[in-house]
Each structure stands twice: as structure tokens, then as C-alpha cells.
């Protein structure tokens, strides 16, 4: 049965092109429209044109609102939902004091189920429709995450977090256990309702060579899986990884030895990276999840964006909850802007750059560029409607904006979950 065509009328903005490569990458329509049917984008453009082409469509009059593509978060930890705000610690101490004790609690399936529901709800309330998520160290808790996502429609890519050393005992598995649990989760959730499975060693420091062999085996056996981990986040972390793998000339070389760096790989952080590693990342087609808020909170450093661009390494934004400061991708975009402004040899971003990094760039990193990330016809109708309350600084500034880029800049600077009025994935409304 063919669904009725629906037209959403509002200001519309998206980046169907990469603004780091092409000029005029931001497409916008002050009185715009997105036409959708059967969960897909039919057309995007000026309302008068879209309505003329689809005269029988049902019109939702959202004037005063802004429609953006659903946000795509490329690095976030579901077990850390309740620990945002652990300030004053560097990475490894923060893990020991804040993150790992909470992650141990995921061994209680009832607790994990509650947190998983909170996590998915938080994504939706901030307009995030797709996320690359670190699951839990426990199979049942990771299953709770997939179940919560399937129930709401939010598109996630996630997997069991694999570790077999240097963490609290409840968070460790043997390589054999890790393989068995991973295969079971893959069989039940990979490809189900748009979910993807991701092979997820926590980081090389907590993964033996045997565990990395398991990761390699899982990727060989099912080549359409994704791979994610942490890399080059903190100088102490890097030193300890190189001590644990004395044969490796770099952090990346550890993963390369097991063929874990490729076009379906996403490495979180990559703050302290060598030129050689950048060259290898570019050649592999791997992507980096840039997490400016958590990099600042943990004092890890400022992402060398200009060097990544010069090397041809892809990157997108991640909130990195819970070291990060929240689920809002607009807030993360603003943090990205600020950090690059104060960095020597940093970049000054346009609103096109920031919207791209929060939407289409993430889709490219996850291998979903043909499916989501912008409003190109044929893609999934994943979108967020933002409508600021009247008589607020944001509402007033939006009303006075003299251009669409100016309106978008105002949203990036001020908007949060309170401005999110509707979220859709594949055209279906997600409960907020």
C-alpha cells in the first residue's frame, strides 16, 4: 500500500555536499518544504515548487520552525548516560574513578534496561536519529540497548565492548567468550530494523593480542560489520599502549596488524597523532570521531583538524557521553567551533561546516551516505524540527535573523533539547 505524500513546510537547511571540499555546500529555503512518502524523501526545495509538484499531498504547516537532517553522533557511550559531569580528571583517572564503576553496574540487566531506555530517549530529545554507540561489556546489557533502539526507531550501530585485561574483573571476558557473545548478538540484531553491529574493543590498552585476533575474525567472517575503538586520545594512554605492544611503532599500528583499519572503521579522538598515522588512516579510508567537548573536559588536547584535512582523513562529530557534556549535537558543533578558534593553526568554520559535521559527515563515516545525512530525494526521511519558544533570546534572534546561515548560527549557539519539537526516522515520528 502506497502511503500518502506529506509535505512539511518550514525553513529547511541541509548540506548535500562536503563544505570542506566544495563551495556553496549549504542548501537552504526560507519558505521551504520537504516532501516525504513511504519513509523516504521525495523532494526538497521552495514550498511553492514542491507543492506544485505534489498537489494532493497533506501539508504540515510548520512555518516559524526550522527542519534539519537528523543529527548523527559518531561516538557515545550508553553505559555512561548517568555520569555526565565528572570534572577535573585526565582520561585514565576519569575512567577509574567515574566511568568503569558505572559500567560494572551494567551487569545488572534490570539496571541496564532502564539506562538503555533513558539513553535512547536522550538521543531522540536532542534530535539525534543515528548514533555509533559503545555498548556494554555485558551481552545482556548490550541487547537491552538494541531492544530499546528497535522499539523507538532510532538507528544505532553498536556492539559488545571487548576487553580482557587491565580493567575491573567484571568488565573482562576471555577471547572465547567475547567471540561467542558477539556472534550471538550479530545473528540477532545486525540488520534488524536498520540496526548495525559494530566490533568494539574498548581500546588497545585493555585488549590482548588474543582479543584483537577475535576482532579480526569477526570482521573477516562478516565484512559488512563496522569497527570502532579509541585511539590517540591522551599522551599517557599512548605511552602505555606502546609499552603493552613493544613491537608497534604507533598506536594505529596495533590495529593495523590485525587488519582493523579500513573504510568501515571509526577511531574516536585521534588528538595526538603522527603524520605517518594520518597517512595510513587516509590510505585505509577510515574515519575519526571528533569529540571536542570531552577532549576539553578531560584536558586531552585540541583536535588537529587542519592536519586531518591536509592528509585527507575523514572525520565527524561525537558527543562522547559521559566524558562529554551532553547529548546535544548542536552544542557539540558549537564546541567544535570554539576549540578551533583558539587553536594555533585552527580553522574558522562556517555554519555549513558545522551542520555537515553533525549530519552528513557522520553518515559518510558509518557507510550510510546513500541512506541518510541530508535531504536528497530517495534518502530516508530522518529529520528534526526545531521551534524555539517565543519571547526567549533564541526565539527573538531567530525572528530577526537576516539570512538562513545567520538563523542556523543562532540555533547552533543557543538551541538545545527544549527547541526540539519533532523527530522522525524513516518518516515515522519518534516519541520524545
Amino acid at each position: 500500500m502506497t502511503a500518502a505524500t506529506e509535505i512539511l513546510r518550514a525553513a529547511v537547511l541541509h548540506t548535500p555536499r562536503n563544505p570542506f571540499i566544495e563551495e556553496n555546500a549549504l542548501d537552504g529555503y526560507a519558505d521551504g518544504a520537504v516532501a516525504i512518502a513511504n519513509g523516504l524523501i521525495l523532494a526538497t526545495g521552495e514550498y511553492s515548487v514542491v507543492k506544485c509538484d505534489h498537489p494532493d499531498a497533506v501539508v504540515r504547516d510548520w512555518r516559524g520552525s526550522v527542519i534539519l537532517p537528523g543529527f548523527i553522533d559518531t561516538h557515545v557511550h550508553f553505559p555512561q548516560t548517568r555520569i555526565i559531569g565528572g570534572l577535573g580528571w585526565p582520561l585514565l583517572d576519569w575512567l577509574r574513578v567515574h566511568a568503569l564503576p558505572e559500567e560494572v553496574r551494567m551487569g545488572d540487566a534490570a539496571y541496564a534496561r532502564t539506562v538503555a531506555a533513558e539513553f535512547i530517549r536522550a538521543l531522540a530529545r536532542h534530535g539525534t536519529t543515528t548514533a555509533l554507540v559503545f555498548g556494554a561489556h555485558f551481552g545482556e546489557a548490550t541487547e537491552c540497548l538494541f531492544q530499546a533502539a528497535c522499539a523507538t526507531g532510532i538507528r544505532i550501530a553498536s556492539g559488545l565492548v571487548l576487553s580482557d585485561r587491565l580493567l575491573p574483573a567484571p568488565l573482562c571476558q576471555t577471547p572465547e567468550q567475547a567471540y561467542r557473545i558477539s556472534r550471538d548478538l550479530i545473528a540477532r540484531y545486525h540488520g534488524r530494523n536498520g540496526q548495525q553491529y559494530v566490533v568494539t574493543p574498548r581500546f588497545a590498552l585493555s585488549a590482548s593480542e588474543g582479543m584483537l585476533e577475535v576482532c579480526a575474525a569477526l570482521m573477516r567472517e562478516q565484512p559488512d560489520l563496522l569497527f570502532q575503538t579509541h585511539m590517540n586520545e591522551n599522551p599517557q594512554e599512548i605511552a602505555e599502549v606502546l609499552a603493552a605492544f613493544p613491537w608497534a611503532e604507533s598506536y594505529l599500528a596495533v590495529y593495523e596488524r590485525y587488519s582493523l583499519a579500513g573504510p568501515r572503521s571509526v577511531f574516536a579522538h585521534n588528538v595526538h597523532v603522527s603524520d605517518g598515522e594520518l597517512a595510513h588512516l587516509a590510505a585505509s579510508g577510515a574515519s575519526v570521531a571528533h569529540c571536542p567537548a570531552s577532549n576539553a573536559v578531560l584536558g586531552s588536547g585540541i583536535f588537529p583538524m587542519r592536519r586531518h584535512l591536509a592528509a585527507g582523513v575523514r572525520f565527524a562529530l561525537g558527543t562522547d557521553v559521559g566524558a562529554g557534556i551532553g547529548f546535544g549535537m548542536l552544542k557539540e558543533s558549537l564546541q567544535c567551533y570554539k576549540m578551533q578558534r583558539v587553536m594555533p593553526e585552527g580553522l574558522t568554520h562556517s555554519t555549513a561546516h558545522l551542520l555537515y559535521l553533525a549530519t552528513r559527515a557522520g553518515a559518510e563515516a558509518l557507510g550510510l551516505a546513500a541512506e541518510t545525512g541530508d535531504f536528497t530525494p530517495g534518502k530516508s526521511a530522518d529529520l528534526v524540527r526545531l521551534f524555539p519558544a517565543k519571547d526567549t533570546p533564541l526565539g527573538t534572534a531567530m525572528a530577526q535573523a537576516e539570512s538562513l546561515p545567520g538563523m542556523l548560527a543562532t540555533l547552533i549557539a543557543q538551541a538545545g533539547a527544549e527547541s526540539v519539537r519533532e523527530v522522525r526516522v524513516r518518516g515515522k515520528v519518534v516519541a520524545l
Side-chain angles (χ1 to χ4, degrees):
M1 179 178 177
T2 301
T5 299
E6 188 177 15
I7 291 177
L8 311 178
R9 183 179 188 180
V12 177
L13 291 148
H14 69 137
T15 49
R17 297 168 294 280
N18 183 345
F20 291 101
I21 297 174
E22 300 183 47
E23 295 183 359
N24 303 315
L26 179 68
D27 285 357
Y29 309 93
D31 185 12
V34 178
I36 62 177
N38 297 307
L40 300 177
I41 304 292
L42 292 183
T44 303
E46 297 291 348
Y47 171 75
S48 59
V49 175
V50 174
K51 177 59 175 172
C52 182
D53 290 342
H54 302 277
D56 298 325
V58 175
V59 176
R60 310 292 180 198
D61 192 344
W62 289 351
R63 280 177 288 182
S65 302
V66 177
I67 300 174
L68 301 177
F71 302 125
I72 301 175
D73 188 340
T74 62
H75 187 63
V76 58
H77 294 255
F78 119 73
Q80 298 174 15
T81 300
R82 293 183 171 184
I83 63 163
I84 298 168
L87 306 180
W89 302 88
L91 171 64
L92 297 182
D93 290 335
W94 177 84
L95 285 170
R96 175 178 53 82
V97 173
H98 289 281
L100 298 181
E102 179 68 7
E103 299 217 15
V104 169
R105 297 187 72 182
M106 295 298 126
D108 178 341
Y111 183 78
R113 187 171 295 106
T114 299
V115 174
E118 291 173 0
F119 173 81
I120 294 296
R121 188 162 55 247
L123 291 177
R125 287 177 173 174
H126 288 84
T128 297
T129 54
T130 301
L132 179 60
V133 184
F134 261 61
H137 289 260
F138 305 94
E140 193 169 359
T142 303
E143 184 171 11
C144 290
L145 172 66
F146 279 117
Q147 289 173 342
C150 288
T152 61
I154 295 294
R155 181 189 289 108
I156 67 160
S158 188
L160 179 73
V161 180
L162 309 179
S163 293
D164 63 346
R165 64 180 184 181
L166 300 179
L167 296 186
L171 300 181
C172 292
Q173 319 100 350
T174 66
E176 295 75 19
Q177 289 170 330
Y179 178 83
R180 175 178 53 79
I181 298 169
S182 296
R183 289 301 311 174
D184 179 61
L185 289 169
I186 291 166
R188 285 190 287 156
Y189 292 102
H190 185 58
R192 176 181 169 186
N193 292 347
Q195 313 307 314
Q196 294 176 280
Y197 195 85
V198 191
V199 177
T200 308
R202 186 172 201 105
F203 55 176
L205 190 58
S206 67
S208 69
E209 295 194 33
M211 188 63 83
L212 293 172
E213 289 278 12
V214 166
C215 296
L218 292 169
M219 295 296 290
R220 282 195 306 271
E221 291 167 4
Q222 192 144 347
D224 65 338
L225 300 180
L226 295 169
F227 176 84
Q228 66 175 342
T229 192
H230 298 89
M231 186 172 71
N232 291 327
E233 183 176 359
N234 169 284
Q236 181 185 357
E237 167 214 14
I238 295 169
E240 293 192 18
V241 166
L242 295 180
F245 299 91
W247 48 261
E249 64 180 17
S250 69
Y251 203 149
L252 177 62
V254 176
Y255 299 123
E256 287 183 313
R257 181 164 183 162
Y258 299 94
S259 302
L260 297 174
R264 299 186 67 78
S265 303
V266 179
F267 295 96
H269 301 293
N270 211 39
V271 175
H272 305 281
V273 58
S274 68
D275 289 343
E277 286 174 301
L278 285 172
H280 280 230
L281 284 170
S284 74
S287 297
V288 170
H290 170 35
C291 309
S294 77
N295 290 343
V297 166
L298 298 177
S300 299
I302 303 178
F303 180 67
M305 187 176 293
R306 190 179 293 276
R307 290 177 58 216
H308 281 72
L309 286 168
V313 178
R314 301 184 301 173
F315 55 90
L317 286 176
T319 60
D320 197 18
V321 164
I325 56 177
F327 288 86
M329 288 294 287
L330 290 175
K331 182 190 293 185
E332 205 66 37
S333 300
L334 179 61
Q335 184 72 13
C336 173
Y337 174 86
K338 292 189 292 184
M339 297 299 285
Q340 290 298 310
R341 287 286 283 168
V342 300
M343 181 184 186
E345 299 185 358
L347 298 170
T348 299
H349 293 112
S350 69
T351 54
H353 293 107
L354 299 177
L355 182 60
Y356 166 77
L357 288 173
T359 55
R360 183 182 168 91
E364 292 168 350
L366 301 185
L368 296 173
E371 184 173 347
T372 189
D374 61 70
F375 294 140
T376 300
K379 291 191 178 184
S380 179
D382 300 347
L383 58 92
V384 53
R385 174 197 177 196
L386 297 160
F387 184 76
K390 298 184 184 302
D391 301 321
T392 63
L394 175 57
T396 302
M398 290 280 291
Q400 293 183 179
E402 296 181 353
S403 67
L404 287 171
M407 183 182 296
L408 180 56
T410 299
L411 285 171
I412 291 170
Q414 298 189 53
E418 76 290 335
S419 297
V420 174
R421 298 305 175 91
E422 187 162 306
V423 173
R424 298 196 185 194
V425 178
R426 303 176 193 89
K428 295 181 179 179
V429 177
V430 177
L432 300 181

